[in-house]
Structures are given as structure tokens and as C-alpha cells.
Amino acid sequence: MTKIPVGILGTGSAVPEQVLTNDDLALRVDTSDEWIRTRTGIRERRIADRDTASSDLAVLAAEKAMQAAGITPEEIGVVICATVTPDHMFPATACLVQERIGAKQAAAFDLSAGCSSFLYALSTAVPMLQTGMYRYALVIGVETLSKIMDFEDRSTCVLFGDGAGAAVLGTVEEGKGFLSFEMGADGGGGQLLIQQAGGSRIPASQESVLARQHYISMAGSEVFKFAVRVIGSSSEAALKKAGYTKDDIDYLIPHQANVRIIDAATNRLGLDPEKVFVNLDRYGNMSSASIPVALDEAVRTGKIQEGDLLVLCGFGAGLTWGATVVRW
């Protein structure tokens, strides 16, 4: 069967209005602006208010992406919401978004693969379109991580922020669009980055709340070493599958977790830093939302031009990793 070439037709993003700076955090935990900046590169992040859920940000990003793509909600065949902070355990946040944007003909489901979720969602949606199952797909990466952050734990609360990014996928010219994917997981590292309670293993209880098990727990140094190893190797593997080398990259859009991890990937790939998009200084780690928000900003600011060869790459809880090569 001949595969239909599939690419990104439009992008959109949305972040909360409230800004939480490093100095603001220093009033709540034992930390400082210098300590956070030198170790992570983060200066500030966006925080959703009490009444804003993941679906609210996802709807805003989705509407912008559809407008950019020039399509109507009724044309969407499937909505995939990549998130680790859904509105509810069920129904899927994607179903809530589908109803609110008016995508009446669309199937809808959530996908959870940690900070790699958006890449996993892309790798799921693309084959659906390549085989003609659907004409358009709406893929959204959204998080309200502030809802599950322990603001008494300075090792994690300084890292994360809230936001949403979306992409409309559809048919593109031959030779353009998604050229390859490289996805992977190592469940042996699952305990290194985890929200322990709230599922069937440790259901919500007074004991789990008092033990602070509903917050993000992370073995920072171990996750860092894992990330440095896989973010470059997965990008190189995806490039090889597509028939390219690191010398062919025009722009790298990495997961925005830590500037030192991004620098390590930049060095491994031998890229000019000008070819690497970085916005974590303003948003922190938005998990599933970090890559699509960065992609949207890069597109809207004109950094990405038609014909550019892009690599999107990331890693996250699971442990998971992924990379994709895209001809814009």
C-alpha cells in the first residue's frame, strides 16, 4: 500500500497568564534564582489558576492550530491528547476537548508516555492518516503540572510549568512531512519519575495524601543521566532511518527540561546553537506540552522555513524516549 505523505498543517499554543519567577519560588522553598538558573536554565514558568484544567488550555491551543491549518472542527477525524495531567482519570481529556471545539466526527483518546507523550501521539496519528483512515488529526500536548507539584520539594517544584501545544496533521507534498520515528521505553526506570498514588496500585486515601504520594517524585540525577544518553542517540537513529545525518539538520526542537541536557544533545549532534530552539527559560518543563509549544513559537516567529529538516526529540517518565524527522 502506498503511504500518503503526512505533515503538520498548522500549530497553536496556550499558556496561563500567571508567571511564577524563581524569586517567587525562593519565598516558598529554600532556593534562589541563581541556584535554579545555573542548574536548569529556567527563570520563570506559567502556572494555571485553581479553576483552569488541562482541557481549558488544550481547547485554546487546538483552536489556534485549526485556524492556522485552515480547517473546520468537523473535518477532524481523530483527537489525541498527550498528557500526564488529565482533567479526570476518565473520561479522556481528548473527549472533553472534542466536544468543546465541535469536532463532532472525531474519535478521541488520551495517551500517556511522560514527557515523550506528544512524540508518541504523533507516531500514533501519522499511520492513521498515511493509510487513509482519517483525513486530519488533531494532536495536543497539554499539562497542568502545578496541580501535582509539591511546593515543599525544591528539587521538583522549580522545574515544571503549565501549558498546551497543538498540531493539525494532514496530507502534504511528496517528500515532505514526517519521514521517520524512533521510539523507545525502559520500564525498569519507571520508579525514577513517578506519581505514586491515585491509580490502582495506591488508591487515593487519607494515608496517601498525608504521605504526599500524589505529587511528582523524581530521582533527578538518574533521570538526567538517562536523558543525556537517549536524546542524542534517538535523534541520530531517527535521522538514519530517514536517510539523513546530523549534518543535514536545519532545526532541532528538543524537550525543554534542562538547558544542560539540551546543550549535551547540541554538542553530540554538532549543531550550531542557533539551530536549536530553547524557551525553557520562560516556561520551564511543560512535559507533554514542551515540544509543541516550542514548535509553535518557532513557526510563528519565522525561525522555521518551508523545506527545513527538523528533528523533534524528547524523553520522559516510563522511562520513555522518542524522536521524529520532519521535512517542513
Side-chain angles (χ1 to χ4, degrees):
M1 179 185 293
T2 301
K3 291 183 179 179
I4 300 168
V6 174
I8 296 174
L9 306 181
T11 62
S13 61
V15 295
E17 292 184 5
Q18 182 182 350
V19 176
L20 184 67
T21 68
N22 292 344
D23 288 332
D24 293 332
L25 279 171
L27 299 175
R28 305 176 69 166
V29 292
D30 182 18
T31 190
S32 68
D33 174 62
E34 181 183 12
W35 190 92
I36 299 170
R37 279 190 296 104
T38 56
R39 286 163 178 78
T40 70
I42 300 168
R43 296 177 181 274
E44 60 187 37
R45 69 288 293 148
R46 299 298 182 96
I47 302 295
D49 61 33
R50 182 175 181 177
D51 297 325
T52 299
S54 290
S55 65
D56 299 318
L57 296 175
V59 166
L60 295 174
E63 289 174 340
K64 291 178 182 178
M66 289 187 295
Q67 182 179 27
I71 67 166
T72 64
E74 292 81 5
E75 294 178 276
I76 298 292
V78 61
V79 178
I80 305 176
C81 195
T83 185
V84 298
T85 51
D87 285 26
H88 314 282
M89 287 294 288
F90 60 90
T93 298
C95 291
L96 306 180
V97 173
Q98 180 245 29
E99 190 276 332
R100 287 178 58 185
I101 65 176
K104 299 177 181 179
Q105 307 303 315
F109 63 93
D110 288 357
L111 187 154
S112 177
C115 300
S116 307
S117 295
F118 183 73
L119 292 169
Y120 268 66
L122 290 176
S123 71
T124 302
V126 168
M128 293 180 177
L129 274 59
Q130 286 178 331
T131 58
M133 183 176 180
Y134 301 114
R135 185 179 180 190
Y136 298 110
L138 173 62
V139 179
I140 307 164
V142 60
E143 304 291 2
T144 47
L145 294 162
S146 62
K147 311 282 188 177
I148 59 170
M149 283 196 298
D150 185 351
F151 282 97
E152 293 183 9
D153 178 9
R154 75 167 187 172
S155 67
T156 57
C157 73
V158 303
L159 301 175
F160 300 100
D162 303 335
V168 171
L169 276 55
T171 303
V172 294
E173 298 175 31
E174 192 68 43
K176 292 187 176 180
F178 293 94
L179 305 180
S180 68
F181 285 95
E182 173 69 17
M183 316 302 296
D186 176 10
Q191 295 296 316
L192 297 178
L193 181 50
I194 187 173
Q195 183 185 18
Q196 296 180 3
S200 61
R201 178 63 64 190
I202 307 177
S205 66
Q206 183 178 6
E207 289 74 22
S208 68
V209 171
L210 291 175
R212 311 184 78 80
Q213 291 178 302
H214 294 267
Y215 295 123
I216 296 171
S217 174
M218 181 172 69
S221 62
E222 294 303 312
V223 173
F224 181 90
K225 284 183 269 189
F226 156 76
V228 169
R229 184 175 74 253
V230 302
I231 196 168
S233 61
S234 62
S235 298
E236 290 175 326
L239 283 163
K240 185 176 181 180
K241 285 183 179 179
Y244 292 100
T245 71
K246 54 190 179 182
D247 296 328
D248 298 309
I249 299 174
D250 291 307
Y251 227 80
L252 179 74
I253 310 287
H255 170 45
Q256 308 287 310
N258 185 305
V259 71
R260 291 188 295 170
I261 296 172
I262 295 174
D263 287 344
T266 301
N267 292 334
R268 173 164 180 160
L269 295 171
L271 290 180
D272 181 339
E274 292 295 317
K275 291 186 175 183
V276 182
F277 193 84
V278 179
N279 66 357
L280 88 161
D281 57 314
R282 292 179 287 121
Y283 299 120
N285 181 347
M286 294 185 289
S287 188
S288 305
S290 75
I291 291 176
V293 170
L295 177 63
D296 182 53
E297 287 197 355
V299 170
R300 292 178 184 270
T301 56
K303 294 183 181 298
I304 295 175
Q305 299 294 319
E306 184 175 353
D308 280 353
L309 190 73
L310 313 182
V311 173
L312 316 182
C313 57
F315 58 91
L319 296 166
T320 60
W321 61 89
T324 183
V325 177
V326 186
R327 177 68 71 181
W328 199 254

